[in-house]
Structure formats: structure tokens, C-alpha cells
Amino acid sequence: MTLETAAPWGRSIGRLAIVGGLVVVSMVVTLGALSITFLEDQASAVRELVDAAALHRDLDRTLQLLVDGETAERGYLLTGDPEFLVPLERVHDELPATLDTLGAILTEKRSAEFASSFRHAVDSRVEFTEGVVALARAGDRDGAAARVATREGMRRMDPIREIVADAGDREDDAVERSLIRVESSRARAQAAFLALLLLATLVVIGLGVSVRQNLARAELAAHVSRESEVRFRRLAEGSLDLIQISSVQGGVEYVSPSSRALLGREPEEIEAMPLEELIHEDDRSAFREALGRALATGIAQGPFTQRLRKKDGTIRTFSSRIEVVEGADGRVERFHTVQRDVTDALRETERLSDLAARDELTQLMNRRAFAEHGRALLDRCRVDGKRALLAFCDVDGLKTINDALGHEAGDALITDAAALLRETARGSDLLARLGGDEFVVLGVGGDPQSGEAFAVRLRERIVLRNERGDRPFRISVTVGSALFEPASNASLDDLVAEADAAMYQQKSRRGGATTRSGEAFVRPAALK
């Protein structure tokens, strides 16, 4: 370089350093702000998940207490035994505190009017139960039974279920919106990073034009390229994401050092591999399609998920994005893939979703999950013109076994009954615990005799289970069924109510505090 060209070259370098410094500062500030936004959105999403879990817990607890009260009402009405009223006392003891906590949450989430309407509906249902019990206590059991037969209690329960379903659905929508905000914040941060990186490159190239009179075009282009590569490598090496640069011919030119922590492989090891070797076999075609669209249109693709294989053989899920880089002639020369490990985040989301849909004791679907899947099944039956059969199953003697043997034995009774229902139901059937001693089985197909056939199969399994004699109690289940016709306008709640009434008729005809075969619920040896 001559003395004549050295001075303008030095001035250009000075300008390049100043502008480059400003660009780097801008990138740091912008990315920092976007990172803070992302962390805030992520914290908000976690709070939404925690609040949703608390709301679902209190809603389920309220429904459970109401079911316990209804069970106490029916048990006392059938037997006249005041011991059946013990669960009703628990309703009196626990329901006010539960409603206070739930009312505060609903007031915050919705409004004071919404919380008040829910509490009014619950109080109305409790009032009906207490009215039936009061008639029975006064000796008017026929009057109490007549009042139950009006199904007024079920009608008073309907608005409660509607409010519970509405509150739960709204809370789930809020959680989903929070998760969308998190993903949007992450996407904005990634887009800003790439945009600012592109801006920095353009600034460097723009300033480099000012020294064209002093240096040959080829020398200047090579120098700018080296500067850009160094800057990119510094940013990439400090990133927690896996960053790869590949040529359009498919060769990997650069891999960020984060590959050691994310995949257990050295960057040089990945550079020597074929481009798709790390990608799970089932995800390779989707990657090829996304890459083909990026190279054909010049438009970034993603984020999309794909699975990568670590060196030890384990599989991790990544959120991936493809960015293309064009040369001076406008043609795509290479592409960048930026990949973030989202395995743990996806697992946590799936875990929380599964917890919200499962009964803790039996691991069957809970009432809320059954309502969602059951309505969808009936909608499909209407479209396909198929019948559906719902069996309402009530486990007999739960209170007797709880009182005589303790709640651990009661829990064992419920889990045994759930296992027998699993064995009896088909693999395609929906099986759920509504709460307490009540279960439902819903499946596609059937005829007017299918309900009794299901009950017979279940009784046969119960007999075999009781003959083993390894429990201090005997299992007994009363079943009522209802058949759904595709041309009817019956809702899932209507079907449950019809099957519940049929079950209640079966239990009323049998009466007594014994199993369907006439034996005592508690084995005599267990009382010695």
C-alpha cells in the first residue's frame, strides 16, 4: 500500500471502527431489551400455568364436595343410616373455605359478578341436598325420593358444570396465549439478531466502498469478508444455540462451539458429517422441504421442530430456523441454521397438560378431560351416523369400607374398581373417574342390549377378583347405561344424567348394604 492510499485507508478504517462500535452497541441494547421481554413473557406464562393449576384444583375440589354431598344424600335416602351423612358434614366444613379461595381467583380472573353467580349456583345445589336430607330425617322418605326423582338436583348441577367448564376453558386459553407470547418474543429476538447482523454487514460494506479508489475491488471484498466472519464467529461462539453455516452444495463450513454441550460432539466432527446425518430419520424429509423453500424463494423458514441425535444416541428436540445468505450477484451462496434445544420445555408443557387431565388416584381421565373428549366423540358419532353407549358405574359400599377399614382401604377399592373397568372396556373407549365412587365408560357403537352385556362382563370379572380373597373387602359396582342416537339432540350431560338415573334405579331395586351377590362389603376376617 502506497503513502497516497494509506491516509484515506486509515480514515476509512477509523470511520468503520466508529460505526461498527455503534452497531455493536445497538445490537447489544436491542437484543438485551428483547431478551428482557422474552423473560417477562416466560415468567408470565409460568404464572398463568400456576394460576390455571390452582383454579382447576379448586374447581375439581368443589365438584368433588358436591358429589360427596349427593352421595351422602342418596346413601341416607336408601338406607336411613345417619352414618351416610358424614360426607355432608365434610361439605359443610370444607366447602365455604374452598368457595372463598375459588371466589377470590374467579373475581381476579373474571369478575365479582361471575364469582357470585358460581357461589349462588353451588349454594343452590347444597340447599337442594339439605332439603332432601331434611325430608328424610323428618320421616318423609317417599317425599324425599319424589323430590330426587324430579331431577331438580341435576338441573341445579348443570349451571355449575357450565361455569366450571367455561372458567377452565378461559384459563386454558389464557395459558395458550401466554405460551404464544413467549414463542413470539423468542422469534422477535431471533429475527432482530439476524436483522442487526445483516445491518452490521451492510454498514461495513457501505463504508468499504469509500476506499475503492485506494484498493482493488477484490482486495477490499476479501477484507470485508474476513471482518464479517470474525464478527459472526464471536457472536456465534457466545450463543447457547447451535449455529451451522453450510454451502448450497450441502457441505458444512462452520459449527458453533455450543455443539459440545448440546450434542456432545466437537464442531470439527459435525463439519465432517453429511448435512442430514444428525437429524432423526423421520424428520429429514421435512427439513429438505424447508431448505428447498428457503433456497428457492430466499425467504427464511421456521421456526419448526426437528429431532437431533446426540453422540450417546439420545434424542433431543430443537426449534430450528433456516436463513439464506446471498452473494454479490444476488444468488444464494450458503445458508445458516439456528437451532435451540426445547426438549425440556416441551416435556414440562406436556407434563402440566397431562396433570390437568388425569385423576390423581386412578390415573384415569378426570371429569374435565372426559367432558372435552366425550363431546368430541358424540360430535363424530353425529357426523358418521353411529350410536354410542355410556355406562355410569357407581362403586358400592365405599363409605362402609372407609368406616370399617379406613380410607387407605377405600382408595384400594377405587383403584381395584378402576383396574376392572379398564379390563372390561375396549381400548377405544373413553374411561374416566367423575369423582368419589363414580366412573363412566363411553364408546362408539352398541344397541339397547349392550349396556346389560357390559354390566355382565364387569360382574364376571368382579366375581373372579373377589374370589382371590386377598383384600379385606369385596368389590361391587352398580351400572346404569344410556344409548346415544346420532339423530338426537342429546348432549353429553344429558347422556350422563340418563345413565345415572338408570344406575340409581338398579341400586334402589337392590337396596341393602351388601354386594350385588348378597355378601357383606367387609370380609368378616378383616374385622377380627
Side-chain angles (χ1 to χ4, degrees):
M1 183 181 300
T2 64
L3 291 176
E4 289 77 14
T5 61
W9 173 251
R11 288 193 296 270
S12 297
I13 289 296
R15 290 195 299 269
L16 182 64
I18 293 172
V19 175
L22 292 175
V23 170
V24 170
V25 171
S26 299
M27 290 176 66
V28 172
V29 172
T30 302
L31 292 177
L34 290 172
S35 297
I36 292 174
T37 301
F38 169 70
L39 292 175
E40 291 175 348
D41 288 340
Q42 190 175 48
S44 175
V46 171
R47 288 194 297 271
E48 289 287 352
L49 288 170
V50 172
D51 290 347
L55 178 62
H56 287 312
R57 181 191 64 241
D58 288 337
L59 288 173
D60 288 344
R61 183 55 183 163
T62 299
L63 287 177
Q64 180 64 59
L65 288 172
L66 291 176
V67 169
D68 289 345
E70 184 177 356
T71 301
E73 163 202 323
R74 293 186 178 181
Y76 182 67
L77 184 58
L78 286 171
T79 66
D81 184 1
E83 288 298 317
F84 276 96
L85 298 180
V86 173
L88 190 58
E89 296 174 1
R90 186 165 62 251
V91 173
H92 291 153
D93 294 338
E94 300 181 15
L95 187 58
T98 301
L99 287 176
D100 288 342
T101 302
L102 189 55
I105 296 175
L106 291 176
T107 299
E108 179 183 355
K109 294 291 184 182
R110 300 290 298 279
S111 66
E113 291 76 14
F114 185 87
S116 177
S117 67
F118 179 74
R119 184 156 196 157
H120 176 73
V122 172
D123 289 342
S124 174
R125 183 62 184 88
V126 174
E127 178 186 3
F128 179 84
T129 296
E130 291 175 340
V132 172
V133 173
L135 285 174
R137 278 177 165 168
D140 189 6
R141 295 181 65 184
D142 291 339
R147 190 174 184 186
V148 170
T150 65
R151 300 175 66 181
E152 176 62 20
M154 295 180 185
R155 285 193 289 272
R156 295 191 185 192
M157 198 68 172
D158 288 341
I160 297 174
R161 292 195 177 100
E162 291 174 2
I163 292 173
V164 168
D166 180 67
D169 290 344
R170 283 175 177 265
E171 195 63 17
D172 290 346
D173 290 343
V175 171
E176 183 176 357
R177 288 194 298 272
S178 294
L179 294 176
I180 290 174
R181 286 200 304 273
V182 171
E183 188 59 34
S184 177
S185 296
R186 180 186 292 121
R188 287 197 301 272
Q190 291 174 341
F193 171 80
L194 294 171
L196 289 173
L197 179 62
L198 181 60
L199 175 61
T201 303
L202 292 175
V203 169
V204 170
I205 294 175
L207 290 175
V209 174
S210 65
V211 298
R212 285 181 299 176
Q213 57 185 334
N214 302 308
L215 295 173
R217 181 183 298 273
E219 181 183 355
L220 177 59
H223 181 74
V224 171
S225 177
R226 287 193 298 271
E227 287 289 321
S228 297
E229 182 178 355
V230 169
R231 187 173 291 106
F232 174 82
R233 286 179 181 273
R234 288 175 180 171
L235 291 172
E237 289 171 6
S239 173
L240 297 178
D241 296 337
L242 178 63
I243 300 174
Q244 298 182 69
I245 301 177
S246 306
S247 67
V248 293
Q249 290 77 26
V252 180
E253 299 177 352
Y254 171 79
V255 178
S256 62
S258 57
S259 64
R260 300 187 185 97
L262 295 174
L263 299 176
R265 297 179 183 273
E266 292 294 326
E268 296 78 13
E269 184 180 356
I270 298 177
E271 291 172 6
M273 292 180 175
L275 181 62
E276 297 181 1
E277 185 169 336
L278 291 176
I279 303 174
H280 191 280
E281 295 81 359
D282 295 339
D283 296 340
R284 290 175 182 174
S285 61
F287 174 76
R288 292 190 203 104
E289 292 174 3
L291 178 58
R293 288 193 300 269
L295 297 179
T297 64
I299 299 174
Q301 300 294 310
F304 56 90
T305 57
Q306 63 179 10
R307 291 162 293 177
L308 301 184
R309 195 182 307 277
K310 295 182 63 175
K311 190 169 186 175
D312 61 7
T314 57
I315 301 297
R316 303 289 290 182
T317 302
F318 285 75
S319 176
S320 302
R321 184 177 177 84
I322 299 175
E323 291 281 351
V324 296
V325 178
E326 298 178 348
D329 57 0
R331 291 185 299 180
V332 176
E333 293 182 346
R334 53 180 56 82
F335 60 91
H336 299 177
T337 56
V338 182
Q339 298 163 307
R340 171 163 296 183
D341 190 334
V342 296
T343 307
D344 296 334
L346 291 176
R347 287 174 180 170
E348 181 63 13
T349 300
E350 292 172 357
R351 186 186 71 83
L352 292 174
S353 177
D354 187 63
L355 284 177
R358 291 287 170 188
D359 174 63
E360 184 176 358
L361 179 61
T362 64
Q363 295 305 302
L364 299 178
M365 281 192 295
N366 59 21
R367 180 187 294 271
R368 178 173 170 274
F370 173 72
E372 177 182 348
H373 292 288
R375 293 189 185 106
L377 185 146
L378 294 186
D379 289 342
R380 289 197 303 272
C381 286
R382 286 192 180 94
V383 173
D384 298 339
K386 295 181 178 179
R387 288 172 166 172
L389 179 71
L390 186 142
F392 193 102
C393 308
D394 186 88
V395 180
D396 302 321
L398 176 60
K399 180 182 182 303
T400 301
I401 292 171
N402 276 335
D403 292 345
L405 303 176
H407 286 279
E408 289 185 2
D411 289 346
L413 170 65
I414 293 299
T415 55
D416 285 354
L420 289 167
L421 286 169
R422 279 196 190 95
E423 294 173 7
T424 307
R426 299 170 302 180
S428 59
D429 292 341
L430 298 181
L431 176 58
R433 183 190 181 200
L434 298 185
D437 52 7
E438 295 179 343
F439 296 82
V440 286
V441 182
L442 177 62
V444 177
D447 54 44
Q449 290 75 41
S450 297
E452 179 59 28
F454 175 84
V456 169
R457 294 198 306 274
L458 178 60
R459 283 197 296 271
E460 290 173 351
R461 286 181 167 83
I462 290 175
V463 169
L464 293 175
R465 182 67 181 85
N466 285 336
E467 287 177 352
R468 287 163 55 180
D470 58 347
R471 292 291 199 192
F473 53 78
R474 295 182 178 88
I475 304 170
S476 179
V477 179
T478 303
V479 180
S481 61
L483 190 64
F484 172 80
E485 297 289 350
S488 73
N489 293 323
S491 67
L492 179 64
D493 290 340
D494 295 334
L495 204 63
V496 172
E498 182 182 345
D500 183 22
M503 180 279 298
Y504 185 66
Q505 290 176 357
Q506 293 282 339
K507 191 182 288 283
S508 298
R509 285 198 294 268
R510 178 165 57 86
T514 61
T515 68
R516 293 185 63 84
S517 59
E519 302 168 307
F521 293 121
V522 179
R523 297 181 185 275
L527 299 175
K528 295 179 180 179

